Amino acid sequence: MNAALEGKAYPPVRFRVDEDHVARFAAAVGDDGSSVPPTFVTVPEIAAGLVRAIADTELGLDFARVVHGEQEYEWSRPVRAGETLEVRATIESIRAKGGHEFLTLRTRMLDEDGEEVVSARSSLVVRGSG
């Protein structure tokens, strides 16, 4: 991977927390659907960050060798069905160790007032070729 891209911010994505989408997601994860399941924020996180990192030819991420290493979220408040979030993804770090590469993406989700609702950090391991 191109370590010079550490700190690169991808253009923000607007993501509507659609009630039907939330209901389908809740059913899939066995949630009662009375609120937005906490892990629902993975959907906009993938759209704003991971999909773009995979498509970023300048980054050079070999997705065929990727293993999801770690995931964390920090909520300022619960996500609400019907709201629209602005989702901003940044390459937080790119490291190499022991023949493997490590990519960490940080994704911030802001409400319509510009207040942060959720901050996510996803770490990917790109397995060495040997």
Side-chain angles (χ1 to χ4, degrees):
M1 280 186 293
N2 182 355
L5 293 187
E6 189 172 287
K8 178 179 181 174
Y10 292 105
V13 170
R14 292 187 55 76
F15 182 86
R16 183 167 187 281
V17 183
D18 180 76
E19 292 89 346
D20 291 336
H21 192 178
V22 170
R24 289 191 313 272
F25 186 93
V29 298
D31 193 278
D32 68 8
S34 62
S35 61
V36 177
T39 55
F40 181 81
V41 297
T42 304
V43 177
E45 178 189 20
I46 288 171
L50 184 58
V51 168
R52 288 177 163 175
I54 292 167
D56 188 343
T57 56
E58 188 181 15
L59 177 60
L61 175 66
D62 182 355
F63 193 66
R65 295 182 10 234
V66 168
V67 176
H68 188 250
E70 200 170 47
Q71 184 69 50
E72 62 184 73
Y73 298 102
E74 186 175 322
W75 285 266
S76 300
R77 66 159 174 82
V79 174
R80 299 180 189 116
E83 73 180 323
T84 298
L85 301 173
E86 180 176 282
V87 188
R88 301 176 182 175
T90 303
I91 297 173
E92 186 172 83
S93 68
I94 300 172
R95 303 280 184 265
K97 184 176 182 180
H100 305 291
E101 294 176 296
F102 300 83
L103 172 68
T104 301
L105 296 170
R106 179 164 185 255
T107 306
R108 297 176 63 226
M109 298 174 213
L110 312 173
D111 64 18
E112 294 175 86
D113 294 326
E115 298 294 321
E116 187 172 289
V117 177
V118 181
S119 177
R121 182 171 284 113
S122 180
S123 298
L124 306 175
V125 180
V126 182
R127 295 168 291 137
S129 58

